[in-house]
Amino acid sequence: MQTFIMTGELVQGLADREFQQRGCDEISDTQNAGAELLLMQARMILQSWQGGFTGTLTHSAGWKALLERLGLEEPIRIRRPEGYAHYALYPESFLEAALRSGLTSETVVIGVRSIGVGLGALVAAALGSRPAYSLRPAGDPFRRHVLPGETLQNCILNRSDTDFAIVDEGPGLSGSSFGCIADWLETNGIPAERLHFFPSHKGEPGGQVSKTHLRRWRQRQPHVVDVHELILDVPERKHSLKSWACELLGVSGDSWQDLSGGEWRKLCYGDPQNWPPSYRRQEKLKFLLSDGEARYLVKFAGLCDAATKQARGRVLSEAGFTPPVFGTCHGFIVEPWVEGSPMAAGPASKEMVEQIGQYLGFRAGHLPAAHGGASLSDLCHMAVLNIREALGSEIADHVERLIGRPHRLTRYLRRTDTDNRLHRWEWVRRQDGRLMKTDALDHNASHDLIGCQDVAWDIAGACVEFDLSKAQRLHLAQIVATESGRDAREDVLDVFEACYLGFQIGLWSLAAQSQDIVERGRLTNAVGRYEGRIRTLLADRSAIFNG
């Protein structure tokens, strides 16, 4: 599967480079070779899926020749498909959707680049059709359009008497990536009844969808098999996440409970009045597997990155900071459920500060950055924008003065494998009194701009989340420096704390716009706490701030 995903990234990058060079999508030998190679791999995935992941896979002997036709003469820019990394988009779900669609092998398949390059190949493999074409929607995200060249346009449209499958993840806020390709096909004489959508979820396009696109979407009844129907809400059988996890652990599994979308709070906090906020739409899928008295957490970690996160978890757990990782299964990480008490609100003790410092220092000293992240200038820009929108120009101007010129601080920064998730509810106090950090493996690779940062980002985050005083912040920074050899300057911490607060204010404000009334109250309270902290930071640091 990783090979297929990586091939899709390569083909996407090559197609996008040619698009930039030509100013349109067009047929080329490189893209033909990529489409054929992806179709070959998709057929193997279909064979594996239908065979229960058993048996010997067969493939064409021509794959090496196809790969050679994809030779690179210069660097290209590829995109990691978000669905595979964050949203439990399983390629097999598109195989199943195509198999159930009733479409024939004469169907013309069009994948929406980027992820649609591979997803289109899967639909084509299941239908037995020719290699999929790909188109890159361009323009305003809510009003996209396509730019096919003459040869590509003729290849797609010369079979107007057949069906057309448009394949992509989503739909998102507007559904315009699906919609613009359908618009183009209809404008060129393809009847609407011959258009078929293959999305990744069963929801409709969001609030930015046009009336025309929404009406067509509802009329066409998209072909979709989501992850729940594929491997979650299924009877006991081999193709189910529960059976995979039980096989990994060697248990039978007495019960299976969905903890996604904030449902984990029922186990940890009981009374909903005590629940922390949850951005439920962004939470990854997670489940509780119980077998007698033993309980296990099964959490989605990404179809490409689970092994890397398992290795990170091994380092952290051997040092005593996180639970061990028992293994991975098809993109999910399996670890023991951490027994203990979640951290309650209240002053942080000296012992808590020391344990948090030891954890952050260990990460900074032993886990180098696995990838990049936003620049300090980008972090500052984001923070000022969010604070201006939430609290007005006066406070945002004070934040800008506190920040000053960000580039003056960059020479003091070194990216490390930061945690990026220091909220109180991410910590559990075990019976022996030690703090255990949960959910520590992948928040620096979340679907946001932060990424890996200097350890000062985590120090600032801990100070905010545990409401540490200036003296406690100094003590925390000293512990981190002792453990890692990385000093965090006071002016750097000031700027990172302002950036952290700006990020949290924006994140939870956005979450509050799309949640129910009860959850919205928790989110609004969280935003208010961050806003109060930014006022306190400014009052402490700026003589010109008068409240």
Side-chain angles (χ1 to χ4, degrees), residues 2 63 101 110 130 159 161 188 206 285 316 337 409 413 474 505 531:
Q2 289 190 27
W63 69 269
S101 69
I110 303 173
R130 301 175 188 178
R159 298 164 62 196
D161 58 341
N188 285 276
L285 292 174
L316 292 171
W337 177 260
L409 302 176
L413 307 181
L474 177 61
I505 288 170
E531 291 176 347

Side-chain angles (χ1 to χ4, degrees), residues 410-427:
T410 54
R411 67 178 182 271
Y412 304 116
L413 307 181
R414 186 188 71 191
R415 295 188 190 276
T416 65
D417 193 284
T418 42
D419 182 293
N420 289 16
R421 187 81 171 179
L422 279 300
H423 304 77
R424 281 181 176 265
W425 57 85
E426 300 288 328
W427 300 82

Side-chain angles (χ1 to χ4, degrees), residues 338-351:
V338 180
E339 305 291 350
S341 304
M343 296 300 300
S349 66
K350 181 179 179 181
E351 179 188 21

Side-chain angles (χ1 to χ4, degrees), residues 125-166:
L127 297 180
S129 68
R130 301 175 188 178
Y133 300 101
S134 77
L135 290 171
R136 162 68 71 186
D140 187 310
F142 297 151
R143 288 174 290 276
R144 294 193 183 280
H145 61 276
V146 291
L147 298 168
E150 182 178 356
T151 303
L152 176 60
Q153 179 167 308
N154 291 337
C155 287
I156 294 176
L157 298 177
N158 69 359
R159 298 164 62 196
S160 59
D161 58 341
T162 190
D163 293 301
F164 290 77
I166 306 172

Side-chain angles (χ1 to χ4, degrees), residues 49 54 58 65 81 116 188 222 239 255 257 283-284 305 357 367 391 420 443 458 468 515:
W49 175 251
T54 60
T58 58
N188 285 276
H239 283 340
S255 68
Q257 183 177 352
E283 283 198 12
K284 292 184 177 179
D305 300 325
L367 295 177
L391 294 171
N420 289 16
H443 281 288
D458 276 351
L468 301 187
Q515 302 291 320

Side-chain angles (χ1 to χ4, degrees), residues 49-50 91-101 126 225 230 239:
W49 175 251
Q50 292 182 321
E92 293 88 349
S93 65
F94 283 80
L95 294 174
E96 284 292 335
L99 291 170
R100 302 177 193 184
S101 69
V225 175
L230 185 75
H239 283 340

Side-chain angles (χ1 to χ4, degrees), residues 215-233:
R215 180 171 60 253
R216 182 198 288 132
W217 188 267
R218 290 173 173 174
Q219 290 173 345
R220 296 311 302 141
Q221 297 183 353
H223 306 283
V224 56
V225 175
D226 64 15
V227 66
H228 288 272
E229 187 176 354
L230 185 75
I231 62 170
L232 300 180
D233 302 334

Side-chain angles (χ1 to χ4, degrees), residues 259-335:
L259 302 183
S260 310
E263 291 300 299
W264 52 271
R265 295 173 295 182
K266 293 179 180 178
L267 290 179
C268 300
Y269 291 90
D271 187 353
Q273 295 294 325
N274 300 325
W275 287 9
S278 169
Y279 195 167
R280 294 186 296 191
R281 291 187 178 182
Q282 284 200 355
E283 283 198 12
K284 292 184 177 179
L285 292 174
K286 56 181 74 70
F287 303 87
L288 182 70
L289 173 64
S290 299
D291 187 73
E293 295 184 358
R295 300 198 291 180
Y296 309 92
L297 179 66
V298 183
K299 179 187 174 184
F300 185 72
L303 297 183
C304 288
D305 300 325
T308 300
K309 294 171 184 177
Q310 180 182 9
R312 181 182 297 124
R314 182 180 301 111
V315 173
L316 292 171
S317 65
E318 288 177 353
F321 295 111
T322 65
V325 176
F326 291 142
T328 64
C329 55
H330 303 279
F332 282 78
I333 277 180
V334 182
E335 59 187 38

